[in-house]
Amino acid sequence: VIGNETRCPPEFLALAHWLADASGAILRRYFRAGVEVMEKPDASPVTVADREAEAAIRAAILSAYPGHGIVGEEHGTERADAEFVWVIDPIDGTKSFVTGRPLFGTLIALAQGGAPVLGVIDHPALDERWVGAVGWPTLMNGRETRVRACAGVGGAALLASSPHMFEPDATAQFERLRRRARITLYGSDCYAYALVASGYADVVAEAHMAVYDYLAAVPVIEGAGGVITDWRGRRLSLDSGDRVLAAGDAGVHAEALRLLAGYKRSR
Amino acid sequence: VIGNETRCPPEFLALAHWLADASGAILRRYFRAGVEVMEKPDASPVTVADREAEAAIRAAILSAYPGHGIVGEEHGTERADAEFVWVIDPIDGTKSFVTGRPLFGTLIALAQGGAPVLGVIDHPALDERWVGAVGWPTLMNGRETRVRACAGVGGAALLASSPHMFEPDATAQFERLRRRARITLYGSDCYAYALVASGYADVVAEAHMAVYDYLAAVPVIEGAGGVITDWRGRRLSLDSGDRVLAAGDAGVHAEALRLLAGYKRSR
């Protein structure tokens, strides 16, 4: 996948760890420290912590690989046509960050030719880090971690950031999945994908996602034995749409796809 | 409040800490350990961890104060007519517990003559404990903690366990509050009250709550300078209804009460 290799080169993994360390140090300094919450044009919250952490990550990438591209939530895109493009979200779950909830995370992904080859989901306030990469097993704090089997959506724990993320176009589809699931839980942000990768939960379904919201989850979920696609079953890439479905069990993923696709207006 | 004293006696506070320690040790042993999830008659999940933790708490209370009453989520009520009644929920947020999310908490309250005089919100997977009691400042991990000021609901961070907890009767009222709030975040369970007590968030509004879901939050919120009532502004007690509104800022609490009460069917 990477040139003639079948594994993501260790030097990229090392850099990804370094980026998460650098970002985490900044976020821990600002977490619960009363930072001002500003509003972006789309009304989503942002803080100086988001911006400072992303700047630190970008500087380190540029220093190590000046030719690589970067897509970031706060500071935009550069060299998007490079073979290797890093895709970063310094704080996924800014609402959690600004309300003192430790579930927010830093997302770092590397795409080669548009396809994700490395992903980090790092939770600095919890000291928990998931790392997935092509050809490597997914690690949680350095230890191999795996999805769990699940007999069907009827026995599954379903996670999503918020029911309001589906409004208005995807609500009916998500509701069909939610009403079948055994348990539904909101408010996990990127932690949801990590929980599925480690076999604590079974399904994540989300909509209106940007590339920096989902790309890092792909190697993490796949390296743990799970399945992650858009809502039509297509692989996720740098250019994917905005809907994501991840499951630990391939059968549950297939059933969830059918539930999402099979919605018919009934009232 | 307690006899001729104006402060909750320290021996009750000491017991409450001991109960949370004992419960937390059990919960940490079962958390992320693949415990079987059973379904209660109301379809809510329960595990052996819930039952074992509550049994340990009850045994310790009986040993210390055989004449006190106990109300627990899993093992029912005894001596409800005693002057002092302990109200306990070993795992508030069982859905979080069974999906590996560390936000679940143990709730321990003491009521005298029906009125809450002591409350503990303990999060064993996060090593975070809030303790409130009449006549004492609320402590978070042993340090005084306070609510924050907030200019209005329009600038407030609003927390609730799930939008589905309001169905069907309270949805319209909650929606009125949610649409006014600056940020809404689901999935915090009892952690929400702790976050308001420490000034990280501003409002919690919940419905269909049992006494063991809310009673511990009362001394925690009040001892931190906040306001907590039902949705009609009445003090919460052992016999309250099922709707809870907590706010760090008294003005925000009053505005939120008006929003909840002022709903008029408009379509």
Side-chain angles (χ1 to χ4, degrees), chain B:
Chain B
V1 174
I2 312 275
N4 290 324
E5 302 294 324
T6 56
R7 302 211 301 186
C8 177
E11 59 262 37
F12 291 161
L13 282 162
L15 177 61
H17 274 286
W18 199 91
L19 299 175
D21 285 350
S23 173
I26 292 166
L27 299 189
R28 272 188 287 263
R29 205 167 69 231
Y30 285 113
F31 182 55
R32 294 184 171 177
V35 294
E36 187 193 354
V37 182
M38 293 160 285
E39 218 158 80
K40 291 195 284 190
D42 67 352
S44 68
V46 67
T47 72
V48 62
D50 298 74
R51 290 174 175 162
E52 195 176 309
E54 183 169 322
I57 291 172
R58 297 176 88 101
I61 293 169
L62 282 179
S63 166
Y65 301 106
H68 285 195
I70 304 180
V71 177
E73 173 162 14
E74 308 305 339
H75 297 294
T77 298
E78 43 190 322
R79 288 176 303 288
D81 57 345
E83 181 187 6
F84 290 101
V85 177
W86 295 82
V87 179
I88 55 184
D89 185 358
I91 304 182
D92 179 82
T94 302
K95 288 183 183 178
S96 276
F97 183 80
V98 301
T99 55
R101 284 164 36 115
L103 297 192
F104 67 90
T106 300
L107 296 176
I108 300 166
L110 176 62
Q112 181 182 20
V117 294
L118 183 161
V120 176
I121 302 176
D122 187 59
H123 294 278
L126 295 172
D127 282 322
E128 294 183 342
R129 179 177 299 172
W130 282 260
V131 179
V134 167
W136 301 84
T138 292
L139 303 183
M140 188 279 195
N141 284 1
R143 294 201 295 191
E144 285 192 31
T145 197
R146 294 285 297 174
V147 299
R148 69 180 174 194
C150 181
V153 172
L158 167 67
L159 306 177
S161 289
S162 167
H164 309 303
M165 81 191 311
F166 303 106
E167 294 166 351
D169 52 315
T171 297
Q173 292 170 77
F174 177 76
E175 276 295 288
R176 202 169 159 103
L177 178 59
R178 180 178 77 80
R179 291 185 185 282
R180 185 75 60 91
R182 183 176 189 185
I183 287 174
T184 302
L185 208 50
Y186 300 111
S188 299
D189 302 306
C190 60
Y191 205 55
Y193 298 93
L195 294 175
V196 168
S198 285
Y200 302 130
D202 304 293
V203 186
V204 189
E206 303 201 292
H208 299 289
M209 301 275 281
V211 64
Y212 42 75
D213 292 324
Y214 65 75
L215 208 68
V218 177
V220 170
I221 291 283
E222 291 182 345
V227 182
I228 178 169
T229 66
D230 71 9
W231 284 16
R232 295 172 64 182
R234 298 173 300 197
R235 280 188 65 77
L236 295 166
S237 73
L238 213 44
D239 308 308
S240 292
D242 66 356
R243 299 185 183 177
V244 178
L245 176 68
D249 189 288
V252 167
H253 185 273
E255 184 187 350
L257 272 184
R258 288 193 299 273
L259 284 164
L260 292 171
Y263 175 76
K264 289 183 183 61
R265 192 171 293 271
S266 64
R267 68 186 73 187

Side-chain angles (χ1 to χ4, degrees), chain A residues 32 37 39 95-96 98-103 126 128 140 157 163-164 178 182-183 185-188 191 195 200, chain B residues 32 37 39 95-96 98-103 126 128 157 163-164 178 182-183 185-188 191 195 200:
Chain A
R32 294 184 170 178
V37 182
E39 218 159 81
K95 288 182 182 179
S96 276
V98 301
T99 56
R101 284 165 36 115
L103 297 192
L126 295 171
E128 294 182 343
M140 188 279 196
H164 310 304
R178 179 179 78 79
R182 184 176 188 184
I183 287 174
L185 207 50
Y186 300 111
S188 300
Y191 204 55
L195 294 174
Y200 303 129
Chain B
R32 294 184 171 177
V37 182
E39 218 158 80
K95 288 183 183 178
S96 276
V98 301
T99 55
R101 284 164 36 115
L103 297 192
L126 295 172
E128 294 183 342
H164 309 303
R178 180 178 77 80
R182 183 176 189 185
I183 287 174
L185 208 50
Y186 300 111
S188 299
Y191 205 55
L195 294 175
Y200 302 130

Side-chain angles (χ1 to χ4, degrees), chain A:
Chain A
V1 175
I2 311 275
N4 290 326
E5 303 292 324
T6 58
R7 304 212 298 188
C8 177
E11 59 261 38
F12 292 161
L13 282 161
L15 177 60
H17 275 285
W18 199 93
L19 299 175
D21 286 349
S23 172
I26 292 165
L27 299 189
R28 273 189 287 263
R29 204 168 69 230
Y30 286 112
F31 183 54
R32 294 184 170 178
V35 293
E36 187 194 354
V37 182
M38 294 159 282
E39 218 159 81
K40 291 196 284 188
D42 67 354
S44 68
V46 66
T47 71
V48 64
D50 298 73
R51 289 173 175 162
E52 195 175 313
E54 183 170 321
I57 291 172
R58 297 177 89 103
I61 293 169
L62 283 179
S63 166
Y65 300 107
H68 284 195
I70 304 178
V71 176
E73 174 163 15
E74 307 306 339
H75 297 294
T77 298
E78 44 191 322
R79 288 176 303 287
D81 58 346
E83 181 187 6
F84 291 102
V85 176
W86 295 82
V87 179
I88 54 184
D89 185 358
I91 304 183
D92 179 82
T94 302
K95 288 182 182 179
S96 276
F97 183 80
V98 301
T99 56
R101 284 165 36 115
L103 297 192
F104 67 90
T106 300
L107 296 175
I108 300 167
L110 176 62
Q112 182 184 20
V117 294
L118 182 163
V120 176
I121 303 176
D122 187 60
H123 294 278
L126 295 171
D127 281 322
E128 294 182 343
R129 178 177 300 173
W130 282 260
V131 179
V134 167
W136 301 85
T138 292
L139 303 182
M140 188 279 196
N141 284 1
R143 294 200 296 191
E144 283 192 34
T145 196
R146 293 286 296 174
V147 299
R148 69 180 175 195
C150 181
V153 172
L158 167 67
L159 306 177
S161 290
S162 167
H164 310 304
M165 81 191 311
F166 303 105
E167 294 167 349
D169 51 316
T171 296
Q173 293 171 75
F174 177 76
E175 276 295 288
R176 201 168 160 104
L177 178 59
R178 179 179 78 79
R179 293 188 183 280
R180 185 75 60 90
R182 184 176 188 184
I183 287 174
T184 301
L185 207 50
Y186 300 111
S188 300
D189 302 306
C190 60
Y191 204 55
Y193 298 93
L195 294 174
V196 167
S198 286
Y200 303 129
D202 304 292
V203 186
V204 189
E206 303 201 293
H208 298 290
M209 302 274 281
V211 64
Y212 42 76
D213 292 323
Y214 65 75
L215 208 66
V218 177
V220 169
I221 291 282
E222 292 183 343
V227 182
I228 179 168
T229 65
D230 70 9
W231 284 17
R232 296 172 64 182
R234 297 173 299 198
R235 280 189 65 77
L236 295 165
S237 73
L238 212 44
D239 307 309
S240 293
D242 65 356
R243 298 184 184 179
V244 178
L245 176 69
D249 189 288
V252 166
H253 185 273
E255 183 187 351
L257 272 184
R258 288 194 300 271
L259 284 164
L260 291 171
Y263 175 75
K264 290 183 182 62
R265 191 170 294 269
S266 63
R267 67 187 71 189

